[in-house]
mmCIF file of all heavy atoms in Angstrom:
data_model
loop_
_atom_site.group_PDB
_atom_site.id
_atom_site.type_symbol
_atom_site.label_atom_id
_atom_site.label_comp_id
_atom_site.label_asym_id
_atom_site.label_seq_id
_atom_site.Cartn_x
_atom_site.Cartn_y
_atom_site.Cartn_z
ATOM 1 N N GLU G 1 -6.400 14.436 15.089
ATOM 2 C CA GLU G 1 -5.679 14.186 16.311
ATOM 3 C C GLU G 1 -4.549 15.174 16.545
ATOM 4 O O GLU G 1 -3.923 15.690 15.624
ATOM 5 C CB GLU G 1 -5.139 12.759 16.313
ATOM 6 C CG GLU G 1 -4.044 12.486 15.286
ATOM 7 C CD GLU G 1 -3.419 11.098 15.447
ATOM 8 O OE1 GLU G 1 -3.662 10.461 16.443
ATOM 9 O OE2 GLU G 1 -2.709 10.697 14.489
ATOM 10 N N PHE G 2 -4.295 15.420 17.806
ATOM 11 C CA PHE G 2 -3.268 16.336 18.208
ATOM 12 C C PHE G 2 -1.878 15.787 17.899
ATOM 13 O O PHE G 2 -1.626 14.590 18.101
ATOM 14 C CB PHE G 2 -3.384 16.624 19.724
ATOM 15 C CG PHE G 2 -2.224 17.331 20.323
ATOM 16 C CD1 PHE G 2 -2.066 18.694 20.164
ATOM 17 C CD2 PHE G 2 -1.292 16.630 21.071
ATOM 18 C CE1 PHE G 2 -0.992 19.358 20.740
ATOM 19 C CE2 PHE G 2 -0.232 17.310 21.643
ATOM 20 C CZ PHE G 2 -0.046 18.637 21.486
ATOM 21 N N VAL G 3 -0.972 16.656 17.478
ATOM 22 C CA VAL G 3 0.402 16.284 17.223
ATOM 23 C C VAL G 3 1.374 17.019 18.136
ATOM 24 O O VAL G 3 2.165 16.424 18.866
ATOM 25 C CB VAL G 3 0.813 16.523 15.768
ATOM 26 C CG1 VAL G 3 2.281 16.223 15.533
ATOM 27 C CG2 VAL G 3 -0.071 15.694 14.843
ATOM 28 N N ALA G 4 1.291 18.377 18.113
ATOM 29 C CA ALA G 4 2.242 19.162 18.877
ATOM 30 C C ALA G 4 1.676 20.574 19.065
ATOM 31 O O ALA G 4 0.887 21.056 18.275
ATOM 32 C CB ALA G 4 3.593 19.224 18.184
ATOM 33 N N ARG G 5 2.163 21.268 20.075
ATOM 34 C CA ARG G 5 1.824 22.647 20.303
ATOM 35 C C ARG G 5 2.985 23.380 20.915
ATOM 36 O O ARG G 5 3.829 22.796 21.614
ATOM 37 C CB ARG G 5 0.585 22.814 21.200
ATOM 38 C CG ARG G 5 0.726 22.147 22.562
ATOM 39 C CD ARG G 5 -0.494 22.391 23.440
ATOM 40 N NE ARG G 5 -0.486 21.481 24.589
ATOM 41 C CZ ARG G 5 -1.295 21.593 25.658
ATOM 42 N NH1 ARG G 5 -2.140 22.637 25.727
ATOM 43 N NH2 ARG G 5 -1.216 20.728 26.639
ATOM 44 N N ILE G 6 3.035 24.677 20.662
ATOM 45 C CA ILE G 6 4.035 25.554 21.297
ATOM 46 C C ILE G 6 3.267 26.704 21.932
ATOM 47 O O ILE G 6 2.437 27.364 21.325
ATOM 48 C CB ILE G 6 5.066 26.033 20.236
ATOM 49 C CG1 ILE G 6 6.143 26.881 20.957
ATOM 50 C CG2 ILE G 6 4.408 26.798 19.115
ATOM 51 C CD1 ILE G 6 7.392 27.067 20.061
ATOM 52 N N PHE G 7 3.531 26.888 23.227
ATOM 53 C CA PHE G 7 2.746 27.812 24.045
ATOM 54 C C PHE G 7 2.962 29.268 23.689
ATOM 55 O O PHE G 7 4.076 29.648 23.285
ATOM 56 C CB PHE G 7 3.011 27.582 25.507
ATOM 57 C CG PHE G 7 2.758 26.173 25.976
ATOM 58 C CD1 PHE G 7 3.737 25.439 26.599
ATOM 59 C CD2 PHE G 7 1.531 25.577 25.746
ATOM 60 C CE1 PHE G 7 3.513 24.151 27.064
ATOM 61 C CE2 PHE G 7 1.255 24.273 26.158
ATOM 62 C CZ PHE G 7 2.266 23.555 26.817
ATOM 63 N N ARG G 8 1.906 30.054 23.859
ATOM 64 C CA ARG G 8 1.969 31.459 23.562
ATOM 65 C C ARG G 8 2.923 32.213 24.462
ATOM 66 O O ARG G 8 3.733 33.028 24.037
ATOM 67 C CB ARG G 8 0.568 32.080 23.640
ATOM 68 C CG ARG G 8 0.505 33.557 23.351
ATOM 69 C CD ARG G 8 -0.821 34.157 23.822
ATOM 70 N NE ARG G 8 -0.835 34.217 25.285
ATOM 71 C CZ ARG G 8 -1.949 34.433 25.990
ATOM 72 N NH1 ARG G 8 -3.120 34.574 25.394
ATOM 73 N NH2 ARG G 8 -1.880 34.500 27.335
ATOM 74 N N SER G 9 2.840 31.951 25.760
ATOM 75 C CA SER G 9 3.543 32.740 26.735
ATOM 76 C C SER G 9 5.077 32.467 26.761
ATOM 77 O O SER G 9 5.866 33.350 26.946
ATOM 78 C CB SER G 9 2.977 32.479 28.148
ATOM 79 O OG SER G 9 1.598 32.826 28.200
ATOM 80 N N VAL G 10 5.433 31.227 26.581
ATOM 81 C CA VAL G 10 6.809 30.803 26.583
ATOM 82 C C VAL G 10 7.058 29.890 25.398
ATOM 83 O O VAL G 10 6.114 29.556 24.662
ATOM 84 C CB VAL G 10 7.213 30.109 27.903
ATOM 85 C CG1 VAL G 10 7.069 31.055 29.062
ATOM 86 C CG2 VAL G 10 6.305 28.875 28.128
ATOM 87 N N ASP G 11 8.286 29.472 25.220
ATOM 88 C CA ASP G 11 8.609 28.591 24.091
ATOM 89 C C ASP G 11 8.516 27.103 24.466
ATOM 90 O O ASP G 11 9.050 26.280 23.754
ATOM 91 C CB ASP G 11 10.028 28.901 23.602
ATOM 92 C CG ASP G 11 10.085 30.191 22.823
ATOM 93 O OD1 ASP G 11 9.052 30.608 22.271
ATOM 94 O OD2 ASP G 11 11.179 30.782 22.751
ATOM 95 N N SER G 12 7.840 26.820 25.574
ATOM 96 C CA SER G 12 7.655 25.421 25.948
ATOM 97 C C SER G 12 6.758 24.713 24.942
ATOM 98 O O SER G 12 5.877 25.345 24.306
ATOM 99 C CB SER G 12 7.061 25.337 27.349
ATOM 100 O OG SER G 12 7.927 25.869 28.330
ATOM 101 N N THR G 13 6.941 23.412 24.823
ATOM 102 C CA THR G 13 6.209 22.639 23.850
ATOM 103 C C THR G 13 5.566 21.418 24.448
ATOM 104 O O THR G 13 5.902 20.988 25.575
ATOM 105 C CB THR G 13 7.157 22.180 22.724
ATOM 106 O OG1 THR G 13 8.261 21.462 23.256
ATOM 107 C CG2 THR G 13 7.677 23.394 21.936
ATOM 108 N N ASP G 14 4.624 20.836 23.715
ATOM 109 C CA ASP G 14 3.918 19.642 24.161
ATOM 110 C C ASP G 14 3.701 18.736 22.931
ATOM 111 O O ASP G 14 3.399 19.272 21.856
ATOM 112 C CB ASP G 14 2.585 20.014 24.789
ATOM 113 C CG ASP G 14 1.777 18.783 25.194
ATOM 114 O OD1 ASP G 14 2.326 17.910 25.873
ATOM 115 O OD2 ASP G 14 0.596 18.724 24.832
ATOM 116 N N TYR G 15 3.889 17.439 23.083
ATOM 117 C CA TYR G 15 3.775 16.507 21.988
ATOM 118 C C TYR G 15 2.903 15.327 22.334
ATOM 119 O O TYR G 15 2.842 14.880 23.487
ATOM 120 C CB TYR G 15 5.158 15.973 21.575
ATOM 121 C CG TYR G 15 6.126 17.034 21.129
ATOM 122 C CD1 TYR G 15 6.985 17.656 22.050
ATOM 123 C CD2 TYR G 15 6.168 17.434 19.804
ATOM 124 C CE1 TYR G 15 7.867 18.644 21.613
ATOM 125 C CE2 TYR G 15 7.049 18.417 19.379
ATOM 126 C CZ TYR G 15 7.893 19.012 20.268
ATOM 127 O OH TYR G 15 8.765 19.970 19.878
ATOM 128 N N ALA G 16 2.263 14.821 21.310
ATOM 129 C CA ALA G 16 1.546 13.577 21.468
ATOM 130 C C ALA G 16 2.559 12.431 21.656
ATOM 131 O O ALA G 16 3.670 12.463 21.183
ATOM 132 C CB ALA G 16 0.687 13.275 20.207
ATOM 133 N N ASP G 17 2.130 11.399 22.390
ATOM 134 C CA ASP G 17 3.004 10.271 22.658
ATOM 135 C C ASP G 17 3.527 9.621 21.394
ATOM 136 O O ASP G 17 4.678 9.152 21.353
ATOM 137 C CB ASP G 17 2.319 9.261 23.552
ATOM 138 C CG ASP G 17 2.041 9.724 24.953
ATOM 139 O OD1 ASP G 17 2.665 10.724 25.377
ATOM 140 O OD2 ASP G 17 1.173 9.115 25.616
ATOM 141 N N SER G 18 2.708 9.627 20.382
ATOM 142 C CA SER G 18 3.059 8.946 19.143
ATOM 143 C C SER G 18 4.197 9.617 18.380
ATOM 144 O O SER G 18 4.818 8.976 17.511
ATOM 145 C CB SER G 18 1.845 8.825 18.238
ATOM 146 O OG SER G 18 1.330 10.110 17.902
ATOM 147 N N VAL G 19 4.474 10.887 18.692
ATOM 148 C CA VAL G 19 5.500 11.614 17.944
ATOM 149 C C VAL G 19 6.621 12.159 18.819
ATOM 150 O O VAL G 19 7.631 12.612 18.283
ATOM 151 C CB VAL G 19 4.891 12.775 17.115
ATOM 152 C CG1 VAL G 19 3.776 12.276 16.208
ATOM 153 C CG2 VAL G 19 4.379 13.891 18.052
ATOM 154 N N GLU G 20 6.452 12.122 20.123
ATOM 155 C CA GLU G 20 7.452 12.685 21.021
ATOM 156 C C GLU G 20 8.778 11.993 20.819
ATOM 157 O O GLU G 20 8.873 10.751 20.770
ATOM 158 C CB GLU G 20 7.011 12.569 22.484
ATOM 159 C CG GLU G 20 7.897 13.302 23.437
ATOM 160 C CD GLU G 20 7.274 13.501 24.813
ATOM 161 O OE1 GLU G 20 6.233 12.853 25.063
ATOM 162 O OE2 GLU G 20 7.772 14.329 25.577
ATOM 163 N N GLY G 21 9.824 12.779 20.716
ATOM 164 C CA GLY G 21 11.161 12.273 20.432
ATOM 165 C C GLY G 21 11.472 12.224 18.967
ATOM 166 O O GLY G 21 12.675 12.074 18.609
ATOM 167 N N ARG G 22 10.481 12.309 18.104
ATOM 168 C CA ARG G 22 10.698 12.292 16.672
ATOM 169 C C ARG G 22 10.376 13.627 15.998
ATOM 170 O O ARG G 22 11.008 13.991 15.008
ATOM 171 C CB ARG G 22 9.867 11.186 16.014
ATOM 172 C CG ARG G 22 10.188 9.783 16.528
ATOM 173 C CD ARG G 22 9.518 8.730 15.672
ATOM 174 N NE ARG G 22 8.036 8.826 15.749
ATOM 175 C CZ ARG G 22 7.249 9.100 14.717
ATOM 176 N NH1 ARG G 22 7.776 9.287 13.501
ATOM 177 N NH2 ARG G 22 5.940 9.169 14.881
ATOM 178 N N PHE G 23 9.358 14.314 16.521
ATOM 179 C CA PHE G 23 8.907 15.572 15.925
ATOM 180 C C PHE G 23 9.306 16.721 16.811
ATOM 181 O O PHE G 23 9.381 16.611 18.045
ATOM 182 C CB PHE G 23 7.367 15.586 15.784
ATOM 183 C CG PHE G 23 6.822 14.678 14.714
ATOM 184 C CD1 PHE G 23 7.618 13.704 14.110
ATOM 185 C CD2 PHE G 23 5.513 14.798 14.320
ATOM 186 C CE1 PHE G 23 7.092 12.855 13.149
ATOM 187 C CE2 PHE G 23 4.988 13.966 13.351
ATOM 188 C CZ PHE G 23 5.773 12.988 12.771
ATOM 189 N N THR G 24 9.544 17.887 16.198
ATOM 190 C CA THR G 24 9.845 19.108 16.905
ATOM 191 C C THR G 24 9.059 20.288 16.354
ATOM 192 O O THR G 24 9.132 20.549 15.141
ATOM 193 C CB THR G 24 11.340 19.451 16.843
ATOM 194 O OG1 THR G 24 12.116 18.359 17.382
ATOM 195 C CG2 THR G 24 11.681 20.696 17.622
ATOM 196 N N ILE G 25 8.298 20.961 17.192
ATOM 197 C CA ILE G 25 7.610 22.177 16.767
ATOM 198 C C ILE G 25 8.418 23.385 17.171
ATOM 199 O O ILE G 25 9.015 23.421 18.252
ATOM 200 C CB ILE G 25 6.177 22.245 17.377
ATOM 201 C CG1 ILE G 25 5.422 23.433 16.819
ATOM 202 C CG2 ILE G 25 6.236 22.272 18.900
ATOM 203 C CD1 ILE G 25 3.940 23.459 17.231
ATOM 204 N N SER G 26 8.449 24.378 16.337
ATOM 205 C CA SER G 26 9.217 25.596 16.589
ATOM 206 C C SER G 26 8.526 26.764 15.878
ATOM 207 O O SER G 26 7.647 26.551 15.038
ATOM 208 C CB SER G 26 10.665 25.470 16.178
ATOM 209 O OG SER G 26 10.781 25.256 14.790
ATOM 210 N N ARG G 27 8.960 27.961 16.163
ATOM 211 C CA ARG G 27 8.409 29.119 15.527
ATOM 212 C C ARG G 27 9.491 30.188 15.289
ATOM 213 O O ARG G 27 10.430 30.298 16.067
ATOM 214 C CB ARG G 27 7.231 29.715 16.305
ATOM 215 C CG ARG G 27 7.629 30.194 17.708
ATOM 216 C CD ARG G 27 6.364 30.650 18.438
ATOM 217 N NE ARG G 27 6.640 30.895 19.846
ATOM 218 C CZ ARG G 27 5.698 30.932 20.804
ATOM 219 N NH1 ARG G 27 4.448 30.716 20.490
ATOM 220 N NH2 ARG G 27 6.060 31.180 22.054
ATOM 221 N N ASP G 28 9.313 30.928 14.259
ATOM 222 C CA ASP G 28 10.144 32.068 13.941
ATOM 223 C C ASP G 28 9.230 33.278 13.928
ATOM 224 O O ASP G 28 8.528 33.507 12.960
ATOM 225 C CB ASP G 28 10.856 31.875 12.600
ATOM 226 C CG ASP G 28 11.879 32.967 12.331
ATOM 227 O OD1 ASP G 28 11.691 34.112 12.779
ATOM 228 O OD2 ASP G 28 12.898 32.640 11.668
ATOM 229 N N ASN G 29 9.255 34.019 15.015
ATOM 230 C CA ASN G 29 8.326 35.146 15.137
ATOM 231 C C ASN G 29 8.617 36.225 14.071
ATOM 232 O O ASN G 29 7.702 36.929 13.655
ATOM 233 C CB ASN G 29 8.405 35.729 16.543
ATOM 234 C CG ASN G 29 7.802 34.810 17.590
ATOM 235 O OD1 ASN G 29 6.935 33.976 17.296
ATOM 236 N ND2 ASN G 29 8.232 34.962 18.815
ATOM 237 N N ALA G 30 9.879 36.402 13.745
ATOM 238 C CA ALA G 30 10.214 37.404 12.745
ATOM 239 C C ALA G 30 9.587 37.084 11.402
ATOM 240 O O ALA G 30 9.188 37.976 10.666
ATOM 241 C CB ALA G 30 11.733 37.525 12.589
ATOM 242 N N LEU G 31 9.514 35.768 11.061
ATOM 243 C CA LEU G 31 8.899 35.354 9.824
ATOM 244 C C LEU G 31 7.430 35.022 9.976
ATOM 245 O O LEU G 31 6.760 34.685 9.006
ATOM 246 C CB LEU G 31 9.639 34.125 9.242
ATOM 247 C CG LEU G 31 11.102 34.351 8.861
ATOM 248 C CD1 LEU G 31 11.701 33.044 8.363
ATOM 249 C CD2 LEU G 31 11.207 35.420 7.772
ATOM 250 N N ASN G 32 6.933 35.079 11.231
ATOM 251 C CA ASN G 32 5.554 34.769 11.494
ATOM 252 C C ASN G 32 5.177 33.388 10.995
ATOM 253 O O ASN G 32 4.134 33.176 10.370
ATOM 254 C CB ASN G 32 4.615 35.833 10.891
ATOM 255 C CG ASN G 32 3.344 36.048 11.760
ATOM 256 O OD1 ASN G 32 3.373 35.923 12.967
ATOM 257 N ND2 ASN G 32 2.268 36.391 11.069
ATOM 258 N N THR G 33 6.061 32.419 11.265
ATOM 259 C CA THR G 33 5.928 31.104 10.710
ATOM 260 C C THR G 33 6.184 30.063 11.802
ATOM 261 O O THR G 33 7.086 30.212 12.628
ATOM 262 C CB THR G 33 6.900 30.875 9.540
ATOM 263 O OG1 THR G 33 6.622 31.817 8.517
ATOM 264 C CG2 THR G 33 6.749 29.466 8.969
ATOM 265 N N VAL G 34 5.383 29.000 11.787
ATOM 266 C CA VAL G 34 5.527 27.849 12.683
ATOM 267 C C VAL G 34 6.018 26.653 11.872
ATOM 268 O O VAL G 34 5.573 26.498 10.735
ATOM 269 C CB VAL G 34 4.215 27.543 13.409
ATOM 270 C CG1 VAL G 34 4.398 26.350 14.359
ATOM 271 C CG2 VAL G 34 3.722 28.750 14.180
ATOM 272 N N TYR G 35 6.862 25.844 12.484
ATOM 273 C CA TYR G 35 7.414 24.686 11.781
ATOM 274 C C TYR G 35 7.153 23.394 12.541
ATOM 275 O O TYR G 35 6.992 23.402 13.763
ATOM 276 C CB TYR G 35 8.922 24.843 11.603
ATOM 277 C CG TYR G 35 9.344 26.096 10.908
ATOM 278 C CD1 TYR G 35 9.716 27.240 11.651
ATOM 279 C CD2 TYR G 35 9.376 26.178 9.528
ATOM 280 C CE1 TYR G 35 10.110 28.387 11.014
ATOM 281 C CE2 TYR G 35 9.746 27.353 8.884
ATOM 282 C CZ TYR G 35 10.100 28.458 9.642
ATOM 283 O OH TYR G 35 10.493 29.617 9.001
ATOM 284 N N LEU G 36 7.114 22.319 11.801
ATOM 285 C CA LEU G 36 7.080 20.988 12.399
ATOM 286 C C LEU G 36 8.138 20.172 11.742
ATOM 287 O O LEU G 36 7.998 19.778 10.556
ATOM 288 C CB LEU G 36 5.707 20.335 12.217
ATOM 289 C CG LEU G 36 5.545 18.967 12.915
ATOM 290 C CD1 LEU G 36 5.594 19.128 14.410
ATOM 291 C CD2 LEU G 36 4.226 18.308 12.481
ATOM 292 N N GLN G 37 9.229 19.922 12.442
ATOM 293 C CA GLN G 37 10.295 19.073 11.937
ATOM 294 C C GLN G 37 9.999 17.641 12.302
ATOM 295 O O GLN G 37 9.923 17.284 13.467
ATOM 296 C CB GLN G 37 11.632 19.497 12.547
ATOM 297 C CG GLN G 37 12.816 18.685 12.115
ATOM 298 C CD GLN G 37 13.125 18.857 10.625
ATOM 299 O OE1 GLN G 37 13.207 19.962 10.135
ATOM 300 N NE2 GLN G 37 13.346 17.752 9.918
ATOM 301 N N MET G 38 9.835 16.793 11.310
ATOM 302 C CA MET G 38 9.500 15.399 11.497
ATOM 303 C C MET G 38 10.675 14.546 11.122
ATOM 304 O O MET G 38 11.238 14.666 10.039
ATOM 305 C CB MET G 38 8.261 15.050 10.656
ATOM 306 C CG MET G 38 7.062 15.920 10.945
ATOM 307 S SD MET G 38 5.591 15.393 10.020
ATOM 308 C CE MET G 38 6.108 15.751 8.338
ATOM 309 N N SER G 39 11.055 13.634 12.030
ATOM 310 C CA SER G 39 12.162 12.745 11.819
ATOM 311 C C SER G 39 11.745 11.316 12.079
ATOM 312 O O SER G 39 10.711 11.047 12.716
ATOM 313 C CB SER G 39 13.337 13.111 12.725
ATOM 314 O OG SER G 39 13.780 14.432 12.507
ATOM 315 N N THR G 40 12.552 10.372 11.594
ATOM 316 C CA THR G 40 12.274 8.946 11.749
ATOM 317 C C THR G 40 10.831 8.664 11.380
ATOM 318 O O THR G 40 10.078 8.048 12.165
ATOM 319 C CB THR G 40 12.594 8.489 13.182
ATOM 320 O OG1 THR G 40 13.801 9.104 13.654
ATOM 321 C CG2 THR G 40 12.750 7.001 13.244
#
């Protein structure tokens, strides 16, 4: 099941209803790494 995505063109994000408000997806292009910060 889908959790989160971060768009290629911009830094806009999208979240599944089950995690929105609790999870945050981000990326560090310099480190070529994507993160998922999960809370609560």
Side-chain angles (χ1 to χ4, degrees):
E1 66 174 347
F2 168 78
V3 176
R5 58 178 165 166
I6 184 165
F7 302 126
R8 181 195 71 194
S9 301
V10 296
D11 287 334
S12 296
T13 56
D14 177 50
Y15 299 92
D17 291 342
S18 60
V19 306
E20 189 164 14
R22 299 189 298 117
F23 289 13
T24 301
I25 185 173
S26 63
R27 62 185 169 200
D28 188 328
N29 290 335
L31 296 178
N32 212 32
T33 301
V34 181
Y35 305 96
L36 184 67
Q37 179 67 48
M38 304 184 292
S39 300
T40 318

